Amino acid sequence: MRGESQSPILNQAKLSAIRSLFKGLPDGFDERHAALKAIRDEFHTELARNFETILNEYAQLLPQDTYDEKRKTASMINGLLRSVGLTIRNDNGQAALLVVDTLGDADPNVSRFRLEWRDDEGRVRRTGTKQYLQELTLMQEHPRQDFWAKRMRREPPDRER
């Protein structure tokens, strides 16, 4: 795990800069965990800032006329974001997925993009529809959590023995 990077983008100077973030971390478990989470959060904030514009530019070049084109575009965008630990942020600041649907029986040939997320009670929510992809705002993807798992979570066992 400690070898040199195989990435041509990460030269020795960049690797040293990354590694320097981990020098001088607190010794205590809880303090180190909090410091690592802060580093992760800042990293993903920068990742989102550096990927958002180019992703939006790229997405506008993708086919979006038919239901299948929209579905493939949404799937690709969701997958790209997931691969780097990001997701779409809705207008309420919540993590959302890009989904596609049709007008159903009213007109199954008309397809549209929407954002979809779960509210605090676990209900699926969706935005209004757009025929073509609008500008996306990115944020860190938080670990997915089953609605009931959140309610059943317990405190970690006492570490004193």
Side-chain angles (χ1 to χ4, degrees), residues 70 98-104 110-117 126-134:
K70 284 180 175 75
L98 185 61
V99 297
V100 177
D101 61 19
T102 66
L103 289 177
V110 176
S111 56
R112 63 224 177 149
F113 287 105
R114 290 181 172 209
L115 295 182
E116 178 178 284
W117 68 96
R126 287 185 168 184
T127 59
T129 61
K130 303 291 181 187
Q131 184 176 0
Y132 292 101
L133 195 56
Q134 304 297 301

Side-chain angles (χ1 to χ4, degrees), residues 27-53:
D27 290 332
F29 177 83
D30 291 333
E31 295 82 6
R32 181 166 295 192
H33 182 248
L36 291 171
K37 283 174 45 179
I39 291 169
R40 182 210 50 206
D41 292 348
E42 191 60 36
F43 171 81
H44 280 98
T45 298
E46 285 300 309
L47 195 69
R49 189 177 66 75
N50 280 278
F51 195 44
E52 189 172 277
T53 300

Side-chain angles (χ1 to χ4, degrees), residues 32 50 75 90 94 106 109:
R32 181 166 295 192
N50 280 278
S75 180
N90 70 13
Q94 296 168 304
N109 296 318

Side-chain angles (χ1 to χ4, degrees), residues 3-70:
E4 295 301 311
S5 172
Q6 300 301 312
S7 171
I9 294 170
L10 294 177
N11 61 33
Q12 194 57 42
K14 290 179 180 177
L15 283 174
S16 294
I18 291 170
R19 291 179 180 139
S20 72
L21 294 171
F22 300 95
K23 291 181 180 168
L25 289 175
D27 290 332
F29 177 83
D30 291 333
E31 295 82 6
R32 181 166 295 192
H33 182 248
L36 291 171
K37 283 174 45 179
I39 291 169
R40 182 210 50 206
D41 292 348
E42 191 60 36
F43 171 81
H44 280 98
T45 298
E46 285 300 309
L47 195 69
R49 189 177 66 75
N50 280 278
F51 195 44
E52 189 172 277
T53 300
I54 198 161
L55 175 67
N56 279 305
E57 290 170 357
Y58 180 73
Q60 293 306 313
L61 300 175
L62 298 172
Q64 303 177 30
D65 293 323
T66 67
Y67 173 78
D68 281 338
E69 289 173 347
K70 284 180 175 75

Side-chain angles (χ1 to χ4, degrees), residues 79-110:
L80 282 171
L81 293 173
R82 192 173 302 115
S83 76
V84 293
L86 298 175
T87 192
I88 299 165
R89 184 178 61 131
N90 70 13
D91 290 339
N92 298 326
Q94 296 168 304
L97 289 174
L98 185 61
V99 297
V100 177
D101 61 19
T102 66
L103 289 177
D105 292 338
D107 191 346
N109 296 318
V110 176

